[in-house]
Amino acid sequence: MLPDVPAIDKTFDYLVPEPVEDQVRVGTMVRIVLHGRRVGGWVVADDVEPPPGLALKPLAKVTGWGPQPELIQLARWAAWRWAGRPASFLRTASPERAVPHLPAPHPAGHLLPAVTDELVGEALRAGGGLTVLRLPPATDLYPVALAAAGTGHALILVPAASTARHLGLRLRRAGVPVAVMPHEWARARAGATVVGTRGAAWAPVVSLSAVVVMDEHEESWQQEQAPTWHARDVAVERARRAGVPCVLVSPAPTLEAQAMGTVLCPSRATERAGWPVLDVVDRREEDPARRSLFSERFVRVLPDAGRVVCVLNRKGRSRLLACASCGAIATCERCRAAVVQDEWGELVCNQCGSRRPAVCLSCSAGAFRNLRAGVSRVREELEALVREPVVEVTASTAGRSLPDARVFVGTEAVLHQIDTAALVAFLDFDQELLAPRYRAAEEALSLLVLAARLVGGRGSGGRVLVQTRMPRHEVIEAALHGDPTRVSEAEAARRRALGFPPVTAMAVVSGPSAPAFMEAFDQPLGVEILGPSEGRWLLRAPDHRPLLDALAATPRPAGRLRIEVDPLRL
């Protein structure tokens, strides 16, 4: 028995009562009495011989069906791979509610249509290998999912829950037995093709036949909380252990994916046609202190563009202010950090929390020029410009019904909450290109992929407009020519020079117990320790094995400890 208790990472022996012997197998979820209280857990081994003379306690209760035996083995591997505990992965692999009985297997449906796309067919015939399928943003991915379902019970991962529901519905209409995770866990355990988001990487799949990960480049595949496991890597390992083909689909595959297997892509003409027309507005000749956030070209096309989506990854009204009289930057009178303006017009310091009226500390003037506007201020300016309502969209509006409007403005969340558009405008794309993260280029390209899906391919009539002072950046060149290799080639050279993944393996150690952990850390040959810096240590090694073995061998001290393996942001 492995208890579902975060602080306990050992197994215990219990006696199976005779009345429930037929209900208990490896993976069954049960409840036990441990240290005087009842806790849940999983059966991880059966037919175990206890030590001589030890009287075993009986199981308190059989809860129901749980993860398959192969998922228990996978959880042990994942605990090593992401420096976590098996219980945290088994929790993800378990049903939301108790499943005492499984539904009847889905009756066999009609034959599915044969695979007609040569690329998809070649990827699924990989004979248990891994293939990266690079398809342009405008491509409908349903044929890929249908072809995978035609091999038997496939595991199909998509980045968004709405996409999973829609794809599951389309597959059902084609006669495919489908279980959409997480709510249809029992149907998946009974036997079906499984469709779901990140957590579905741990879904039960009977006789797994193929694994497909859509939009492999999405950041959402990685868990933010420790252990920071990645659904793509879990899916790849499941396919490897089962000996079935694994297909990673993306318009812009990450370097990690490209290092795993063969990359297949359509002809240059087909791939280019699947990317939209890109308008690049070069703002290098403009005065940064005086220019508006709206370029002349944007203002010219805005009135007749149809539905418009504007993207600016800055929330609030203003992120940087200068006095209109003396030009001094508005700063906090207590800590001298830059202040922002809230919706009531007051100046607020995000560093120390102090507030004051909108008055310049240098000349006492009350008027300020906005050097770095947030989406709330931009919405006001857009409404004045187009003389119609403009809807503001941020992560806080997710799940809500948006008002009907022609113009939307928001953070990158707007690209997930709007279905279609005639024009997507990135008002300050340099903020993405120059972000202080080693994956900034890949992340910027993924935003252009989202925008491309809203406006359609080159022949759809939609357009993406990018305002930038770096018009020759490889990200913009890649979207302009429909050629993502321009980013991957430049990124590969940079990562090699700087020693960033996938050239190396990395882990970040932080938390109140980090000093004690690092003091006990036995640094093996080849593992480099950088830090501490702001209470964080960076560990780097040429590959994962020495790094992960060293992390696994180091005893965990009491207290909170966070270990991020393969951190997304550094």
Side-chain angles (χ1 to χ4, degrees):
M1 259 291 308
L2 177 67
D4 187 8
V5 180
I8 298 178
D9 196 24
K10 60 178 294 188
T11 58
F12 300 86
D13 294 341
Y14 281 82
L15 183 67
V16 179
E18 190 173 330
V20 295
E21 281 185 347
D22 60 332
Q23 301 176 36
V24 177
R25 61 193 64 82
V26 174
T28 299
M29 300 180 68
V30 298
R31 295 190 71 80
I32 59 172
V33 176
L34 184 66
H35 300 308
R37 64 189 184 102
R38 284 171 55 134
V39 299
W42 303 269
V43 176
V44 295
D46 55 7
D47 296 327
V48 176
E49 286 293 333
L54 182 64
L56 298 182
K57 292 181 179 180
L59 298 175
K61 179 184 177 182
V62 175
T63 304
W65 288 79
Q68 297 160 290
E70 54 265 33
L71 290 180
I72 292 176
Q73 296 300 321
L74 188 68
R76 292 188 176 118
W77 167 83
W80 170 81
R81 176 63 177 78
W82 286 284
R85 299 186 187 277
S88 63
F89 301 103
L90 292 179
R91 205 173 299 125
T92 305
S94 301
E96 296 178 314
R97 296 179 179 83
V99 178
H101 307 288
L102 296 180
H106 195 284
H110 59 270
L111 292 176
L112 300 181
V115 180
T116 56
D117 190 300
E118 292 184 6
L119 277 180
V120 176
E122 183 178 350
L124 290 171
R125 288 193 300 270
L130 186 143
T131 304
V132 179
L133 197 54
R134 199 179 77 203
L135 300 177
T139 305
D140 181 10
L141 299 182
Y142 169 70
V144 181
L146 185 62
T151 65
H153 294 160
L155 174 61
I156 303 172
L157 303 181
V158 295
S162 58
T163 306
R165 291 191 295 268
H166 182 65
L167 181 59
L169 181 61
R170 293 182 71 180
L171 289 173
R172 280 200 182 103
R173 288 174 176 169
V176 178
V178 174
V180 179
M181 295 295 291
H183 304 302
E184 296 178 339
W185 189 98
R187 181 179 293 180
R189 187 65 179 85
T193 284
V194 173
V195 179
T197 55
R198 180 176 61 218
W202 294 94
V205 185
V206 178
S207 302
L208 181 66
S209 63
V211 174
V212 176
V213 180
M214 305 290 193
D215 286 348
E216 170 277 332
H217 63 276
E218 284 277 354
E219 275 190 15
S220 60
W221 290 125
Q222 184 155 3
Q223 175 87 356
E224 291 186 7
Q225 295 83 14
T228 53
W229 60 275
H230 202 296
R232 174 202 60 211
D233 295 346
V234 173
V236 168
E237 180 67 12
R238 284 192 74 171
R240 186 192 69 79
R241 292 178 175 223
V244 300
C246 180
V247 183
L248 308 179
V249 186
S250 173
T254 61
L255 293 181
E256 286 80 359
Q258 294 182 55
M260 291 179 182
T262 305
V263 179
L264 298 179
C265 54
S267 66
R268 283 296 306 125
T270 301
E271 188 169 22
R272 182 179 171 84
W275 286 81
V277 174
L278 190 73
D279 287 337
V280 181
V281 180
D282 186 353
R283 311 202 75 181
R284 286 178 293 181
E285 300 301 322
E286 301 176 13
D287 182 355
R290 296 183 178 276
R291 69 178 174 90
S292 164
L293 199 58
F294 309 131
S295 64
E296 291 184 9
R297 189 184 306 182
F298 173 75
V299 172
R300 190 168 59 249
V301 302
L302 182 61
D304 304 317
R307 172 176 277 190
V308 178
V309 171
C310 302
V311 183
L312 181 66
N313 262 335
R314 294 196 294 266
K315 295 192 293 184
R317 287 180 49 80
S318 176
R319 311 308 297 179
L320 188 65
L321 294 167
C323 177
S325 177
C326 69
I329 298 295
T331 58
C332 175
E333 57 188 336
R334 290 177 58 189
C335 66
R336 309 307 297 174
V339 294
V340 299
Q341 192 173 33
D342 66 12
E343 56 186 308
W344 296 282
E346 287 191 321
L347 302 183
V348 182
C349 177
N350 288 331
Q351 183 163 295
C352 69
S354 64
R355 309 172 69 93
R356 77 168 196 269
V359 176
C360 177
L361 296 178
S362 299
C363 68
S364 300
F368 289 87
R369 188 168 63 249
N370 210 331
L371 299 185
R372 193 174 297 162
V375 291
S376 298
R377 178 59 180 267
V378 171
R379 176 186 58 79
E380 297 170 1
E381 295 179 0
L382 276 173
E383 285 183 337
L385 182 63
V386 298
R387 298 181 181 180
E388 59 182 283
V390 174
V391 176
E392 181 179 337
V393 182
T394 62
S396 62
T397 63
R400 304 181 194 172
S401 179
L402 296 175
D404 187 26
R406 186 181 71 87
V407 182
F408 296 82
V409 63
T411 60
E412 64 181 85
V414 70
L415 299 174
H416 297 276
Q417 298 180 42
I418 302 297
D419 294 329
T420 60
L423 173 68
V424 175
F426 289 90
L427 301 180
D428 185 7
F429 201 62
D430 294 342
Q431 179 181 350
E432 315 303 332
L433 298 178
L434 299 174
R437 301 185 293 270
Y438 79 96
R439 296 180 183 271
E442 288 182 343
E443 294 169 5
L445 186 58
S446 72
L447 291 180
L448 293 179
V449 167
L450 291 172
R453 287 188 173 147
L454 295 188
V455 303
R458 197 164 294 270
S460 67
R463 308 177 84 84
V464 175
L465 185 142
V466 175
Q467 299 184 162
T468 178
R469 300 172 71 86
M470 305 175 68
R472 291 292 171 259
H473 195 282
E474 61 267 12
V475 170
I476 295 175
E477 291 284 330
L480 188 66
H481 299 281
D483 183 11
T485 58
R486 296 178 182 234
V487 171
S488 58
E489 289 175 354
E491 273 295 286
R494 271 194 293 267
R495 305 268 185 96
R496 282 194 299 269
L498 298 175
F500 282 127
V503 178
T504 60
M506 285 186 172
V508 173
V509 180
S510 61
S513 297
F517 179 86
M518 291 307 302
E519 186 175 347
F521 186 76
D522 185 15
Q523 181 180 0
L525 185 65
V527 177
E528 179 184 11
I529 301 178
L530 303 175
S533 175
E534 298 180 351
R536 290 157 48 100
W537 282 260
L538 176 65
L539 311 181
R540 180 163 56 187
D543 58 73
H544 283 96
R545 182 161 295 279
L547 174 61
L548 299 177
D549 285 345
L551 289 172
T554 305
R556 299 289 180 97
R560 189 169 61 84
L561 177 71
R562 177 177 172 84
I563 301 178
E564 303 171 67
V565 178
D566 302 333
L568 275 176
R569 305 195 173 195
L570 287 175

